Amino acid sequence: MKITVLVENHSNGVCTPKHGLSLYIETERHKLLFDLGPDETIFENASRLGIDLTSVDTVIISHGHNDHGGALGRFLEMNHTAQVYLQKTAFRPHYSTSGGKHSIGLDTSLMGHPQLVLLDGDTRLDEELMLFTVKDGYNRCLSEANSNLLSDEGPDRFEDEQNLMIGSQLLVMGCGHRGVVNILDAAPCTPKVCIGGYHLMKPQTGETVSQALLEEIAQQLKMRPVTYYTCHCTGQQAYQVLSGMVPDMHTLSCGETIELP
């Protein structure tokens, strides 16, 4: 399995960084994208890395924020065969209150596109790919950085957030709004590797969550036999704390590739 970071907040120097996330993953059965980033950055960086996005057969949108699905319309214009999987609530309004209330949702005009598959909860796509959500009742180590995020009904409960299991080896998540600890608890099995953001900072202000929360998360993560790669909305300050406490914790940046046996 090969994972290449196409969109991320930081870069290795080859690719353009951008606040958002997109991972290109090659498995035995699939060429897939997990999230698409906010804009044209995914296409520019894919071209630089020699990745042909027209050959992608599967797209997973982790949740309905535009830094993860903002490039969906442009992707559908150039790839006419890939199936795009979202939770059915992903197109509901989403807002941030940082700098005044403003929309951070997806383009609702795309909701009826024939390549989109709107899901209702956990779904097995095939023998290799499983999508799962975190149900109510998983409430450990929730991030304080979620406080400025709203849905059309009030504080966002992130019901549209889905995570990807590839076999029993790899767990991929987007922002981890439901909490990395809860996502690991809700996963079908304990993965060998976990990749994704933990949403431990507020992007607009750079404010990091409390030291107490970081220490609590670290205590939970290091109890598991998992290799962690974090990125995007975790934040550099939070990463420094976590990596100092969790032995197998790494960071990823735009343009990097990792290979799993």
Side-chain angles (χ1 to χ4, degrees):
M1 198 183 314
K2 185 176 179 181
I3 304 104
T4 300
V5 185
L6 292 182
V7 180
E8 209 276 321
N9 299 33
H10 305 89
S11 174
N12 66 358
V14 174
C15 293
T16 301
K18 182 61 68 82
H19 177 79
L21 185 66
S22 180
L23 305 174
Y24 173 72
I25 305 174
E26 293 183 353
T27 73
E28 289 185 1
R29 294 172 175 242
H30 296 285
K31 294 181 178 179
L32 69 89
L33 287 168
F34 186 90
D35 286 339
L36 298 170
D39 55 22
E40 297 290 314
T41 304
I42 181 177
F43 309 108
E44 299 167 5
N45 288 340
S47 178
R48 288 174 184 165
L49 296 173
I51 293 174
D52 178 13
L53 297 185
T54 64
S55 68
V56 167
D57 59 80
T58 302
V59 177
I60 311 299
I61 304 293
S62 63
H63 62 297
H65 288 175
N66 57 16
D67 56 332
H68 294 258
L72 178 58
R74 174 71 182 89
F75 176 82
L76 293 170
E77 290 175 1
M78 52 89 70
N79 183 312
H80 303 132
T81 56
Q83 295 285 285
V84 181
Y85 296 93
L86 311 87
Q87 290 294 310
K88 66 180 184 180
T89 50
F91 283 100
R92 289 175 59 179
H94 293 83
Y95 304 97
S96 170
T97 59
S98 293
K101 185 178 177 180
H102 59 280
S103 173
I104 56 171
L106 303 178
D107 181 354
T108 57
S109 70
L110 301 171
M111 195 175 349
H113 194 283
Q115 287 172 248
L116 267 59
V117 181
L118 302 182
L119 306 175
D120 185 11
D122 298 359
T123 304
R124 176 163 291 281
L125 303 185
D126 57 26
E127 292 182 3
E128 191 175 60
L129 306 181
M130 171 76 183
L131 294 170
F132 71 96
T133 59
V134 177
K135 309 296 190 298
D136 291 341
Y138 290 90
N139 296 310
R140 296 201 292 166
C141 304
L142 293 175
S143 175
E144 302 142 5
N146 287 332
S147 62
N148 67 314
L149 299 172
L150 306 176
S151 71
D152 54 343
E153 297 181 344
D156 203 330
R157 297 172 58 209
F158 309 106
E159 295 170 311
D160 60 317
E161 187 173 71
Q162 60 182 359
N163 312 281
L164 173 65
M165 279 292 303
I166 303 180
S168 60
Q169 185 174 24
L170 176 62
L171 189 162
V172 189
M173 57 189 189
C175 274
H177 287 292
R178 295 300 300 261
V180 57
V181 173
N182 297 317
I183 292 168
L184 285 163
D185 284 346
C189 63
T190 300
K192 295 179 181 177
V193 177
C194 177
I195 296 177
Y198 300 169
H199 200 71
L200 298 177
M201 70 159 186
K202 295 183 178 180
Q204 290 82 0
T205 65
E207 180 184 358
T208 301
V209 300
S210 67
Q211 180 74 16
L213 176 60
L214 293 175
E215 291 177 1
E216 185 180 4
I217 292 171
Q219 290 296 330
Q220 292 296 322
L221 295 186
K222 70 181 184 180
M223 293 170 58
R224 295 170 166 85
V226 177
T227 299
Y228 301 97
Y229 292 90
T230 191
C231 53
H232 179 42
C233 54
T234 300
Q236 290 298 303
Q237 183 179 340
Y239 170 70
Q240 291 301 322
V241 174
L242 293 176
S243 62
M245 299 180 68
V246 181
D248 212 353
M249 170 76 67
H250 313 274
T251 188
L252 285 174
S253 60
C254 197
E256 284 192 78
T257 296
I258 58 174
E259 295 194 35
L260 305 180

